Amino acid sequence: MTDKPTLQNWEALATKEVKGKDLNWHTPEGITVKPLYTAEDVDGIETGLPGFGPFTRGVRASMYAGRPWTIRQYAGFSTAEESNAFYRRNLAAGQKGLSVAFDLATHRGYDSDHPRVTGDVGKAGVAIDSVEDMKILFDGIPLGEMSVSMTMNGAVIPILAFFIVAGEEQGVPQEKLDGTIQNDILKEFMVRNTYIYPPEPSMRIISDIIGYTSAHMPKFNSISISGYHMQEAGATQLQELAFTIADGKEYARAAMASGLDLDKFAGRLSFFFAIGMNFFMEVAKLRAARKLWHRVMTELGAKDERSKMLRTHCQTSGVSLTEQDPYNNVMRTTIEAMAAMLGGTQSLHTNALDEAIALPTDFSARIARNTQIVIQEETGMCNVVDPLGGSYYVEALTQELYDKAWEIIERVEAEGGMAKAVAKGWPKAMIEEAAAARQARVDRAEDVIVGVNKYRLKEEEPIDILDVDNVAVRESQIARINKMKASRDDAKCQAALDALREGARLGAGAPTPSVRPEPVEGPSFSSSGEAVGAGLRQAQPERGVETNLLALAVEAARQRATLGEISAAMEDVFGRYGTVPTPVKGVYGGAYGGDDRWARVVDGVEAVTRRKGRKPRMLVAKMGQDGHDRGANVIASAYSDMGFEVVSGPLFQTPQEALALALDKDVDVVGASSLAAGHKTLIPELIKLLRDAGRSDIKVVAGGVIPAQDYDFLRAAGVAGIYGPGSNVVDSAADVLRLLGHNMPPEGLEEAAE
């Protein structure tokens, strides 16, 4: 006779089948996921209906049954001409909106002719130096009919000004412009680091943009609060969720403190989340995010239910993509796209299979775009609103994420808000600890990545990638800058820049001119320690004097001021901000207790220490304008735990500055971290400078996103070791010891040496 199917009987049967093995899954978020969920797990959870608060099941009643999400492709290719051609091809093939990726020189407020950006122009995005570039970027694309998303934070004022003027000169008034500007500076100070100004004036910029767009651009989203870069930097989905909602709350309060009515601007706040490979966690994260935002906006005093809707764009994970066996990335992106869809996103970008290595080719971008089209038009997934609603597992997971995220948000609030939390540095430290722990799990194959630490191919065929001629792009950009400057009315342009400079001085939160803060462990906010919103008190300018920075920049753009000139005018007042990374210690090494391979490397470090009379010393250098420091911080953390003396260089170094630091600290090795394709310019220059200084004994190794096709070029330039995406950190350290003359046991080192 069969036992009655009760939960207790199921537990007994399952335990017998797995011979007592614990089937619970303990996630990096600190959530214990059970192997079975039942009605008991959702008892008391109220999910509501789509289109009604708290919007757990979706912000629109009909969701995709009425209209599918917007298909976007985030892209920018070296020049405005090439990017424009790519956009037009994609729009003709079914893409519905544009998402613009800018190069790092643009992000950091430098024109292409600036000496600090020789290796960055046209890499990892499109170079935009003026309104002329912006006009070319959207040539033949009707801005009155197209939604445009722009990922820009540091140089947000000139970029948005150029977009507005490009629309005007295309015949599209500001009130018809549709799209989103990211304009999210708090996460820059936490993880991405493409800031320009100190935090307080940066927050003033956000407030000015919200104010301007509320008055003049009713269809435009003035801020996209981004958790994406947090997850890419190593945050767990819980951390990404909690800190993103907390950031949004801080921005809303800042705008309210500057005199704006919450219900007048709240509809222009949008969000941006990463979608990784933890499928159900990502679905639950988006559902929990809507519920959290509804609560936050209710507590802030929003009356209109539309003000409480969390609308979001999503992008499939970049960090989940692999250089090894890259066609697996097609499946990864498809799975992630499905999670975004089932979580209820409003728009989506799908990464291309080759983006772990370089900018996508037309071939790979087409596959990525068509992934979304197939889901929308072939699968029937869009015909049911919130198809996972009511799932015991999904509903329970949504509630647990909501509860745990609210605990973190309450901690933020207890410390005075997200600005103060970021100033203290603990959110950034939490994310760095999570990143180091994740890398240790991958290196130990506890987290499986197919084709990298399991099922790896013995030999791999190279794939075609897009290679940008950085020198040619920079020369063409400089020629266009010079041509524009020669033809403009320079007196009118300088007058507009002077007005912008004066507006920055007279407006809210302007510090003493030309003050550059000393590098500190975390971002330093106002000396009074006030919350950011409280720092937005307006000075008393003369009657009729404009102080809104975006309004002033629009006029400067009309007079053909460049991005660098507009940024410099504000920098004259606000200063330029800089920090030195301070990686966490003990997290990586803590995962390796009792590991033989780790022990051999530690013994090797101790042997080199005895021979040299000091620890082997490595400079981790971040050259160029790439602020993504996850890889550099993980390496610094891991190598420190192994016994190396690690010098973490400041972000945004030139090769000359890296040389000076290497000589000053008398390092044995420089580890150059590359993510944004500047390695073929910056690393060879550093090696040449070391040779010219008579220090060719200092080894230079390179790690990060470096295509295999570039390895021979770098070796010929003198790079001693190359550790691309997916390299095992412990094996890389063993190889560095070999370069320093210590003979390590050969086990597991062949791949690192290659």
Side-chain angles (χ1 to χ4, degrees), residues 670-745:
V670 176
S673 174
S674 175
L675 187 69
H679 52 270
K680 292 177 72 174
T681 304
L682 300 170
I683 297 176
E685 184 177 351
L686 173 61
I687 292 171
K688 179 180 182 300
L689 290 170
L690 285 166
R691 288 173 177 166
D692 291 346
R695 291 303 307 272
S696 56
D697 59 303
I698 297 177
K699 309 294 184 184
V700 176
V701 299
V705 179
I706 301 175
Q709 291 90 319
D710 292 347
Y711 284 16
D712 288 343
F713 172 88
L714 292 175
R715 288 188 180 114
V719 175
I722 304 171
Y723 316 108
S727 294
N728 185 288
V729 174
V730 180
D731 286 349
S732 75
D735 196 49
V736 168
L737 289 174
R738 178 186 61 81
L739 296 174
L740 296 180
H742 181 73
N743 294 319
M744 287 291 298

Side-chain angles (χ1 to χ4, degrees), residues 415-464:
E415 297 191 14
M418 197 61 189
K420 285 189 175 180
V422 171
K424 291 179 180 177
W426 64 265
K428 182 178 181 66
M430 281 180 67
I431 292 171
E432 290 181 354
E433 288 176 8
R438 161 69 172 169
Q439 187 61 48
R441 292 195 304 272
V442 170
D443 285 350
R444 290 172 60 84
E446 293 168 359
D447 286 3
V448 172
I449 301 178
V450 174
V452 176
N453 60 10
K454 197 173 184 181
Y455 311 112
R456 185 161 182 172
L457 296 174
K458 290 184 178 179
E459 294 184 10
E460 297 195 27
E461 293 293 324
I463 64 170
D464 292 332

Side-chain angles (χ1 to χ4, degrees), residues 514-518 575-579:
S514 71
V515 173
R516 179 187 176 95
E518 292 297 319
R576 183 171 280 266
Y577 188 73
T579 61

Side-chain angles (χ1 to χ4, degrees), residues 135-405:
K135 288 173 66 178
I136 294 169
L137 186 67
F138 295 115
D139 182 41
I141 298 172
L143 291 178
E145 304 170 19
M146 184 61 53
S147 172
V148 178
S149 174
M150 294 179 285
T151 299
M152 178 53 65
N153 302 282
V156 63
I157 287 286
I159 285 296
L160 189 48
F162 293 162
F163 179 69
I164 290 168
V165 175
E168 287 177 351
E169 298 186 6
Q170 200 184 82
V172 181
Q174 296 181 30
E175 61 266 22
K176 299 276 181 142
L177 293 173
D178 188 5
T180 303
I181 191 86
Q182 190 165 100
N183 193 27
D184 175 3
I185 204 65
L186 283 176
K187 70 95 174 48
E188 296 295 328
F189 291 110
M190 286 172 63
V191 291
R192 191 164 178 253
N193 301 311
T194 50
Y195 43 69
I196 300 175
Y197 314 108
E200 191 170 350
S202 295
M203 287 296 291
R204 179 239 173 131
I205 286 170
I206 289 173
S207 181
D208 279 7
I209 289 173
I210 292 174
Y212 185 95
T213 54
S214 295
H216 302 290
M217 303 170 71
K219 298 174 67 177
F220 199 81
N221 299 310
S222 53
I223 189 168
S224 175
I225 301 118
S226 175
Y228 182 88
H229 304 94
M230 297 182 200
Q231 188 177 143
E232 293 292 280
T236 66
Q237 279 91 337
L238 173 61
Q239 292 166 353
E240 177 195 9
L241 172 62
F243 292 141
T244 303
I245 298 298
D247 278 353
K249 186 174 185 178
E250 192 82 329
Y251 293 135
R253 278 197 299 228
M256 292 167 68
S258 69
L260 296 174
D261 181 88
L262 180 59
D263 282 312
K264 293 291 177 61
F265 70 80
R268 274 178 287 277
L269 304 179
S270 66
F271 287 79
F272 175 29
F273 287 102
I275 304 295
M277 285 296 288
N278 192 343
F279 184 85
F280 288 105
M281 192 72 75
E282 294 293 4
V283 173
K285 180 184 77 182
L286 295 184
R287 301 171 94 250
R290 290 191 290 272
K291 189 174 179 180
L292 285 164
W293 188 241
H294 186 274
R295 180 174 178 178
V296 164
M297 295 301 280
T298 300
E299 292 184 357
L300 286 178
K303 301 295 189 293
D304 190 336
E305 280 295 292
R306 290 174 296 181
S307 299
K308 305 174 187 179
M309 290 180 181
L310 182 146
R311 297 159 301 114
T312 190
H313 170 67
C314 291
Q315 180 175 340
T316 59
S317 174
V319 78
S320 72
L321 302 177
T322 65
E323 179 187 34
Q324 296 84 357
D325 211 354
Y327 290 104
N328 289 338
N329 294 333
V330 177
M331 288 85 83
R332 292 185 178 103
T333 295
T334 302
I335 291 166
E336 291 167 351
M338 289 172 59
M341 171 263 165
L342 291 168
T345 190
Q346 278 60 67
S347 68
L348 178 63
H349 163 84
T350 34
N351 287 330
L353 66 94
D354 48 2
E355 287 190 70
I357 311 166
L359 288 170
T361 61
D362 279 0
F363 170 78
S364 65
R366 179 173 177 270
I367 294 172
R369 182 188 62 251
N370 286 354
T371 298
Q372 296 192 54
I373 295 174
V374 168
I375 292 173
Q376 285 189 356
E377 302 196 16
E378 293 190 24
T379 64
M381 289 184 183
C382 295
N383 297 330
V384 176
V385 179
D386 189 26
L388 291 182
S391 157
Y392 299 145
Y393 177 34
V394 171
E395 297 295 0
L397 192 56
T398 298
Q399 187 64 38
E400 185 148 13
L401 275 172
Y402 172 89
D403 290 339
K404 287 184 175 292

Side-chain angles (χ1 to χ4, degrees), residues 75-80 83 87 100-103 106 122-128 137:
F77 293 86
S78 60
T79 65
S83 298
Y87 294 153
V100 183
F102 299 95
D103 74 354
T106 302
K123 295 284 192 179
V126 60
I128 298 293
L137 186 67

